[in-house]
Amino acid sequence: MGQIGKFKAAIAAFAYPLVKEALKNVPVLAPAVGLVDATRVAAKKLEIDPNWAIPHITEALVCSELSATDKETVAVMTISALNQAVLEEAGSTAGYTPEEFADRAMEEAERQGLGFGEHKELVRRLMKAFFEAYLAHEDVFNAIGPEKLAEVTEELQRIDRELDGRIWDIYRNASLQDAWRNSVYLLDALAPAEKIGFEAIKTKGGVLRFVETRDFWDTLKQLKEVKESGKRKIFVMHGAGGHGKTRLWSELGLRLVRDGWRGGFLRPGASFDSLSTIFTAETRPLFLVVDYALSRATDFKNIIDAAAGSGWGGALALVLLDRQEVKYVENYRKEQNDPRGSGFRRWLQGVEDAGPVKLRELTEDEAKKIFFGAFADLEKLNGGAASNAEDVWRGYAAGLKKRPLHLVLYAYLAVVGALERFSTEEDLFEAAINYEVGHWLQAIGVEGDAVPHYEGSLKRLAAVATLAGAMPKDEALQHAGSGCVLEGEAEHYVEPVKLKDALAKMLPCEGGGECIGALEPDPIADYMLSDLLEQDNFECLIEAALPPEGLADDAQFFARVKHVADVLARAFNQSQAYEMLRPVFASRDPRYAVRVWEMMERWEGGGREELRLDPNAPLVTHVLFPLVLPVVAWYGKKLSGKSMGSAERAYLFSAAGNALAAHGYYREALEPAQKAAELYQQLADENPTRFLPDLAMSLNNLAGRLSDLGRHHEALEPAQKAAELYQQLADENPTRFLPELATSLNNLATFLSDLGRHQEALEPAQK
């Protein structure tokens, strides 16, 4: 039975002993009697004694995973537990009015810890109506009279209608609230840090106030227009780490929530189903922020698919944040592939662009406000400051007053007494990391001569946890005792369990749990990784951060692989991330790469069409694509052990060559391109109708790979053959193949021109 039935049953169980006898012979109250009888039947269907229905129902519902609003509503029903005590006392006390009885019952309920929230006045009215009926039963029936009874009846009916409406809202919103919690970090749910440390200076710590910059007010003005006009708009913001992108949108988001919007920061890998539920059931204006958007094209596409599929027509602000400008939106506007049938391309074309905004450097006034605001907040959290804010500000290097993170870090170090003179960002970050590591060691009682032996090991273990994103404590303990973390003489002095305990205390996982989280803020973590790259066996740290082959949960396995790749690309760049990961993957069983690949297919929507290598393919921007595709193509088997067919291998070789070339790995791209053309030639010989288009495409790609390496003479033959095949295909089906023919002729003209054969290049160029 749904919540409606349970709520009706609760009303019946509470109302029946009070009103049934008083009302059954009064015609004007027949509707109320009908309500009571109907709901009593519902209670019987639950196979619960009506007089004890409410405590049972309350226990069953409160112990389930309900939202706070649901629990408040359900808590109202526990008033029935007061039934006997309140009524017995009321029965022996003359002269109480229904209002007084209701107030006494509410007070008693609140003394027992029941919270009514927004339902308090409704519950009070419900109690008043019941006590009016009760008093009518206690020999004051004649004094109330028919008019008063009619009024009571009307009140009961109105309350019933309101309760129906509220419970339907709760029933409808239960899945909506779950969808929000599962897919979005809700800004109004973030809890501020309670102690000094890096936890207090990261955006989600919720301690530091944001200073409204010009970028803030300009964006807020546009958001107001979006809400008033019901528009859909994409905001793209980029800027170096520490520029305050996340902090700016956290503050904007809180403003929007107070103004009636709903939204927050999209969780990585948020499910399409959860997003669809939000767009289907939500009625408020929405804002969704995608941080690190360059590596999250699929998350963006899921939002658009869900919005388009649900027919969302309300106000929507979709925000893409990254350190570099995000450019894939325009590619998606041209996307023809629509596996979910949502019509996302048409819907996206109706979304306006706010235009890319590069966050500017702070003015002196803005910087000063951020510094003094952060200093005051951190001082309060620390119980005092080690320095005077004015003195600190005067001694701060002008070059480090341009970004919010620099200012916050400087205030933090001043408050905790670790202030030095800094002239560069690297100096500031190094001092902050060294202080924080010392803070961690102090928390586990490491001091004196032991400190130098622990510092390096602790940084390396923190780097592993940062790359992994979230590492189970038992796995962290295993790595804490490895030669990768314990280097040199540290092996003889460091207790691994102390390293693990330090990080467990100071780097908690998002949302708690038995794991260790990443070092934040991100620019500081990136600096630590780059510093370790110069000092240590960094490949070993990456090896430790990647999930073990035996990790059973596919979603956790893939999320962790992707997180390692994303953090490396963020801290360094795509090419360096690829170079760092390639030897690690090469040292593992090929099935490791196959597992990543099979998860990538699910991640992208489960269809190979999603993964074709063209300017619109979302994974073309991701480092995992060129990393695992060649391994999978050469291995030629699925995770199940089943061999791939020639067509699938040909596709994978073709995609691998294009992916490697797209990332600038031209030499590595040639061999898979050659293999793809070879396999497609064999397939086309056997089944030309099906595979001639693929053969033409693979020859075009092969010509491109040869040309990339400057081998223009060799590129000419496959380019000419591709143009001939596309001419043949376009003659038979011009609607489908004329664009490909035009591209192949253009390529052929380019290759001829590269060889200095300009006269010959003229004909295909003209055609």
Side-chain angles (χ1 to χ4, degrees), residues 758-767:
H758 305 299
Q759 191 64 37
E760 294 174 72
L762 188 59
E763 182 182 350
Q766 288 175 326
K767 189 172 183 180

Side-chain angles (χ1 to χ4, degrees), residues 275-498:
L275 291 168
S276 294
T277 297
I278 289 171
F279 282 111
T280 301
E282 192 56 80
T283 58
R284 291 165 286 190
L286 301 181
F287 70 97
L288 293 171
V289 184
V290 183
D291 215 349
Y292 304 110
L294 274 175
S295 63
R296 297 180 61 187
T298 302
D299 285 336
F300 170 83
K301 188 170 187 292
N302 273 339
I303 294 173
I304 301 301
D305 256 333
S310 69
W312 176 262
L316 171 67
L318 182 52
V319 186
L320 305 177
L321 307 179
D322 210 292
R323 297 183 183 184
Q324 302 173 49
E325 186 180 342
V326 179
K327 298 181 178 180
Y328 54 63
V329 176
E330 196 52 42
N331 287 335
Y332 274 126
R333 292 190 194 279
K334 303 170 185 174
E335 178 65 86
Q336 299 296 322
N337 190 39
D338 188 9
R340 288 195 178 106
S342 66
F344 79 90
R345 177 174 176 261
R346 183 175 61 256
W347 194 88
L348 182 57
Q349 286 175 333
V351 181
E352 295 182 8
D353 283 321
V357 174
K358 182 177 183 180
L359 291 187
R360 58 185 181 78
E361 294 181 337
L362 299 168
T363 65
E364 177 80 7
D365 184 56
E366 290 169 345
K368 194 170 184 179
K369 287 179 179 178
I370 288 175
F371 172 79
F372 281 100
F375 192 99
D377 288 336
L378 292 166
E379 180 183 29
K380 184 183 298 183
L381 198 63
N382 195 44
S387 304
N388 178 277
E390 289 286 352
D391 292 340
V392 174
W393 176 255
R394 283 193 293 271
Y396 191 30
L400 292 176
K401 293 180 179 178
K402 307 299 184 183
R403 298 183 191 175
L405 179 60
H406 295 161
L407 295 157
V408 169
L409 266 184
Y410 198 65
Y412 172 71
L413 292 173
V415 166
V416 299
L419 195 61
E420 301 174 19
R421 288 197 175 274
F422 309 111
S423 57
T424 66
E425 179 183 72
E426 289 75 15
D427 293 339
L428 181 62
F429 285 176
E430 184 174 357
I433 290 171
N434 287 338
Y435 173 78
E436 189 68 2
V437 170
H439 191 195
W440 297 345
L441 294 176
Q442 188 178 20
I444 57 170
V446 174
E447 55 187 16
D449 294 340
V451 168
H453 301 299
Y454 275 84
E455 284 179 329
S457 298
L458 196 51
K459 287 181 183 179
R460 286 188 286 273
L461 185 58
V464 173
T466 298
L467 286 167
M471 178 171 286
K473 288 181 182 177
D474 55 351
E475 188 182 337
L477 179 59
Q478 176 187 339
H479 291 311
S482 73
C484 186
V485 170
L486 301 177
E487 288 196 345
E489 62 177 352
E491 296 178 17
H492 306 295
Y493 296 95
V494 175
E495 298 177 58
V497 70
K498 284 192 174 183

